[in-house]
Amino acid sequence: MRELGRRLAALLAPGDLVLLTGELGAGKTTLTRGLGEALGVRGAVTSPTFVIARVHPSLTGGPALVHVDAYRLGGGLDEMEDLDLDVSLPESVVVVEWGEGKVEDLSDARLQVVIGRTIGEERDRTADGESRERVSPGGLDGERDGADDTREVTVIGIGPRWAGQDLTPLVL
């Protein structure tokens, strides 16, 4: 996910809006961390769940990274207006985790990154045709060896900014 963030950063410019969708632990913040590394921003990119938004200024003269976690926000754009994202957007790259259905009106163009996660799930069929699920061993704290922890990522360009842009090389 970090490498995908690095690859994605090469396509981004000031004014770009990126929405990340995926379950808890899917890799949204890890992707954003790779994005921040490639953009050369200041500060550790960590989950902004409790502060809602963090601004990471550029150390290289590029755009700042505004990292938003809309998980705890129930409303749509009305609730997001307090964050002044519309003010930050023109000179920044704005990444919003859990933003689907909440921030689309910020821009007529955006990237939608949908992350699906499978953790060692397998399905066996019993003799009578019932499905039985097996999950790879792992501690209660979610620690896994990583071998069976896979992601399926879909990157969708929406609006005129992304029209005709081939995004398939992004996905590893």
Side-chain angles (χ1 to χ4, degrees), residues 96-139:
V96 183
E97 297 185 29
W98 305 98
E100 193 171 17
K102 298 177 183 175
V103 298
E104 287 89 345
D105 290 337
L106 280 174
S107 176
D108 61 347
R110 65 187 176 279
L111 279 183
Q112 178 78 37
V113 180
V114 181
I115 306 167
R117 179 181 182 202
T118 303
I119 304 176
E121 293 182 1
E122 296 179 38
R123 295 208 176 267
D124 287 339
R125 294 276 174 202
T126 60
D128 59 0
E130 288 185 31
S131 179
R132 183 176 63 215
E133 186 175 283
R134 290 187 309 182
V135 178
S136 296

